[in-house]
Amino acid sequence: MTLKTVSTVGVIALCGPTCGGKTTLAQTLVARWPSVFAPVVTTTTRQPRPGEVQGIHYRFVSRFEFEQYATHGLHRLDDSGRIGVAVVTPNGIEPIRAACEALGKRLVSVHLGANREDLIVRFLQRYRADREDRAEHYSRRLMHLLDEQGAWANA
């Protein structure tokens, strides 16, 4: 990539299934090159899951607020001169793409994943490391992981 190409990038969107390494890669990029990359706290219209904190894990907003935030948040990011790094699902890419286009910037989408067995092992490690007994929460997340694995293969 040339410097000109990099300067046209507004956001790098890291996509993939639960436990696919998205958050780890995003944190590594921002920690290693803080003058180049800025974290983008994902904004969602869904309700928080147990243990999720507003403004840290996600910004939980209404649909109207979601549309407004995508545009204004990327303006602030653009003013900083850094490239945003967002962890998103396929549903979250389009609003970011539209906001980038409005600023004359590009969205670079990177798909991360792993084989099914590795994803399940990582998921179970995450569950074991959680100090709260939330088996029901994790069973729903595991079912979602297994269901979405097929969808990611077709994305």
Side-chain angles (χ1 to χ4, degrees):
M1 257 192 203
T2 67
L3 185 56
K4 182 173 173 39
T5 301
V6 170
S7 69
T8 65
V9 174
V11 174
I12 296 174
L14 304 175
C15 307
T18 299
C19 297
K22 304 176 301 289
T23 301
T24 300
L25 179 57
Q27 291 170 342
T28 300
L29 289 171
V30 171
R32 182 142 184 182
W33 296 285
S35 64
V36 177
F37 298 108
V40 174
V41 177
T42 303
T43 302
T44 183
T45 59
R46 71 168 173 76
Q47 292 297 309
R49 294 180 182 126
E52 291 179 332
V53 178
Q54 173 76 300
I56 294 176
H57 299 107
Y58 295 92
R59 285 193 178 88
F60 299 97
V61 298
S62 70
R63 173 58 70 187
F64 175 77
E65 291 171 313
F66 181 85
E67 311 254 336
Q68 298 299 310
Y69 182 78
T71 301
H72 297 298
L74 285 182
H75 276 292
R76 286 193 303 273
L77 178 64
D78 191 41
D79 290 345
S80 78
R82 296 186 292 168
I83 297 170
V85 179
V87 175
V88 299
T89 64
N91 295 339
I93 290 177
E94 281 312 310
I96 295 173
R97 183 184 320 280
C100 283
E101 287 176 3
L103 292 173
K105 297 287 186 171
R106 291 183 316 117
L107 170 69
V108 175
S109 178
V110 178
H111 180 266
L112 301 172
N115 67 50
R116 190 178 182 113
E117 183 178 343
D118 287 343
L119 291 173
I120 292 171
V121 167
R122 290 178 192 166
F123 183 85
L124 293 174
Q125 288 170 335
R126 185 180 289 179
Y127 172 65
R128 187 175 63 197
D130 191 344
R131 300 211 184 273
E132 295 180 39
D133 183 19
R134 302 184 313 168
E136 184 178 318
H137 165 74
Y138 277 94
S139 67
R140 285 192 308 271
R141 299 273 323 264
L142 180 57
M143 292 303 295
H144 179 72
L145 169 64
L146 296 174
D147 290 345
E148 78 179 353
Q149 183 64 22
W152 283 107
N154 298 322

